[in-house]
Amino acid sequence: MSLHLYDTATRAVRPFEPLRPGVVSLYNCGATVQWYPHIGHLRGAGVVYDVLRRWLAHSGYEVVHVRNVTDIDDKILSKAAGAGRDWWEWATTHERAFSDAYDTLGCLRPSIEPRATGHIPQIIGMIAELIEAGKAYAAAGDVYFAVRSDSNYGFLSGQRLDEVQQGESEGAGKADFADFTMWKAAKPGEPFWDSPWGPGRPGWHIECSAMARNYLGDAFDIHGGGLDLIFPHHENEAAQSHGVGDPFARFWMHSHWVTMAGEKMSKSLGNVLSLPAITEHTRAIALRYYLLSVHYRSSIEYSREALDDAAKAFERIEGFLQRVADRVGPVGTADLPQAFTDAMDDDLGVPRALAVVHDRVRVGNAALAGGDHPAAAAEAAVIRSMLAVLGVDPFVAPWLDAGSDDALHAATDRLIARLLADRTAARAAKDFAAADSIRNTLAQAGFAIEDTVDGPVWSVNTPS
């Protein structure tokens, strides 16, 4: 089976083939940098499309990945003014917070991460093309897209023209309630750029149309984003780009929300969970596993219990790999099982793919318990390769402990080996009190002891 992806525009899972053989062009909407990211943002703009990118790369494609930054917006201006800070400083502070969060969750950096304010000439040029084509009009310093000029408007979202709510204030010169703003006339005290229609700044939707075109051309393979972006953002992007004659995106992908009590996670609902707050009690690799463990087209109903369960499930995988590394030696890599590949090719079926991972862990644990080291090592190599595709291979950066010290580990191993030898001797002498005392001492120091067919093996108790 070749890769198939669900296309929001056609409401169907379709075979995927890129426009250019061997190269996939991917644009996914990134952050509007008005505030710090929560895990809903990071799943929708980061983890989902990182897994897609990794699977495309594993499948042999070169991926040109554009993830934008909206750094000029009404909410950015309002929040910066409320805090008494310059808008550009406010935007940069929160852009860096998003970048740090993506890194913390092991997301590969995009090919380019363009800012809206860095593309004002391209935005102005595209607006001018739309006016010339009769798809847009200027009024009172603003410029609007004439929605009724697009006979295909609503193809993506299913919106009916007589029911359209663009979610923006009415401008003095707007000819039709369904129209939306592409250029906003400057207000006193706000940043502005000069344009043929007077000083102002771009609207949200035109920014992405212009940036996608600038980096990926008039047609590209995949446009992604969160479910909440289908309307108005993506519908309006498509209308603008089609209005200048660009084919634009061939596939539309939308990741679903992280919710709490059935509601979309958002700052306004007061239920934001930031990455620093969660990583106080849960390792970032376990959080990433949690965020990808539910299919991207299904919502995650967040709870601490569900997160803890996911962390424990990942620990079982990681624990097997570490036991193999400790007893057999470094864990290699291997070809992926067909069942895993089939799951990933079926619209990124990560939950099915993880079921394959856990099945192989059970087989590997049985081999290890039976002293079959070659079989255990072979399973570990397959498992590690599957985890690498998902971005949770514990033996590579950023998950590999950069502060680990081989010499310190070796010294610790010698010390614990001496204690374990004393424990073995005590058990042989039926001095079980002394044996238990040694085990308890190690446990209090944070070491777990497992009695195996190969003898006692130690490991460090790792918090979730």
Side-chain angles (χ1 to χ4, degrees), residues 244-314:
V244 296
D246 290 354
F248 207 52
R250 296 173 63 244
F251 277 79
W252 290 88
M253 290 182 65
H254 292 94
S255 55
H256 285 224
W257 297 326
V258 178
T259 60
M260 291 184 70
E263 296 185 275
K264 175 193 169 190
M265 187 174 293
S266 67
K267 183 175 184 295
S268 62
L269 291 175
N271 56 11
V272 174
L273 282 171
S274 70
L275 190 62
I278 291 180
T279 52
E280 284 184 1
H281 55 72
T282 301
R283 291 182 300 150
I285 191 171
L287 175 59
R288 179 183 170 102
Y289 176 90
Y290 171 67
L291 292 175
L292 61 79
S293 64
V294 175
H295 193 273
Y296 78 90
R297 285 196 290 119
S298 295
S299 295
I300 297 177
E301 176 67 17
Y302 175 83
S303 71
R304 176 64 187 274
E305 293 75 17
L307 175 58
D308 288 347
D309 287 345
K312 289 173 184 173
F314 181 73

Side-chain angles (χ1 to χ4, degrees), residues 67-71 92 95-96 112-120 123 207 211 215:
R67 183 179 66 211
N68 75 293
V69 175
T70 298
D71 63 339
T92 300
E95 179 184 346
R96 287 174 176 164
I112 190 165
E113 200 162 14
R115 299 181 183 91
T117 56
H119 297 79
I120 301 298
I123 291 167
E207 296 170 350
M211 287 188 286
Y215 293 102

Side-chain angles (χ1 to χ4, degrees), residues 197-408:
W197 318 286
R201 57 187 172 86
W204 180 26
H205 315 303
I206 193 65
E207 296 170 350
C208 283
S209 289
M211 287 188 286
R213 183 196 219 188
N214 188 69
Y215 293 102
L216 299 178
D218 59 7
F220 58 94
D221 293 311
I222 302 170
H223 194 315
L227 182 67
D228 52 326
L229 298 183
I230 296 176
F231 186 85
H233 188 46
H234 288 171
E235 188 76 62
N236 292 348
E237 275 187 64
Q240 294 163 154
S241 296
H242 295 163
V244 296
D246 290 354
F248 207 52
R250 296 173 63 244
F251 277 79
W252 290 88
M253 290 182 65
H254 292 94
S255 55
H256 285 224
W257 297 326
V258 178
T259 60
M260 291 184 70
E263 296 185 275
K264 175 193 169 190
M265 187 174 293
S266 67
K267 183 175 184 295
S268 62
L269 291 175
N271 56 11
V272 174
L273 282 171
S274 70
L275 190 62
I278 291 180
T279 52
E280 284 184 1
H281 55 72
T282 301
R283 291 182 300 150
I285 191 171
L287 175 59
R288 179 183 170 102
Y289 176 90
Y290 171 67
L291 292 175
L292 61 79
S293 64
V294 175
H295 193 273
Y296 78 90
R297 285 196 290 119
S298 295
S299 295
I300 297 177
E301 176 67 17
Y302 175 83
S303 71
R304 176 64 187 274
E305 293 75 17
L307 175 58
D308 288 347
D309 287 345
K312 289 173 184 173
F314 181 73
E315 285 172 9
R316 288 193 290 271
I317 303 169
E318 185 181 35
F320 167 68
L321 293 179
Q322 191 59 59
R323 286 191 294 276
V324 172
D326 290 342
R327 297 187 209 175
V328 184
V331 177
T333 58
D335 293 338
L336 298 178
Q338 190 62 48
F340 181 92
T341 298
D342 289 345
M344 295 298 292
D345 275 341
D346 186 8
D347 193 31
L348 298 185
V350 174
R352 281 174 50 207
L354 286 175
V356 178
V357 173
H358 285 285
D359 285 344
R360 302 302 285 258
V361 168
R362 283 190 285 273
V363 172
N365 273 324
L368 201 58
D372 189 347
H373 289 178
E379 292 298 331
V382 171
I383 291 163
R384 185 182 171 199
S385 298
M386 291 188 283
L387 295 183
V389 165
L390 302 175
V392 286
D393 176 359
F395 294 145
V396 298
W399 316 121
L400 186 67
D401 183 5
S404 65
D405 188 313
D406 289 340
L408 178 60

Side-chain angles (χ1 to χ4, degrees), residues 122-142:
Q122 293 91 334
I123 291 167
I124 290 173
M126 196 169 195
I127 293 173
E129 287 183 58
L130 286 164
I131 292 174
E132 185 177 354
K135 302 288 185 179
Y137 57 94
D142 297 322

Side-chain angles (χ1 to χ4, degrees), residues 424-432:
T424 298
R427 294 179 72 186
K430 300 190 183 305
D431 187 356
F432 298 114

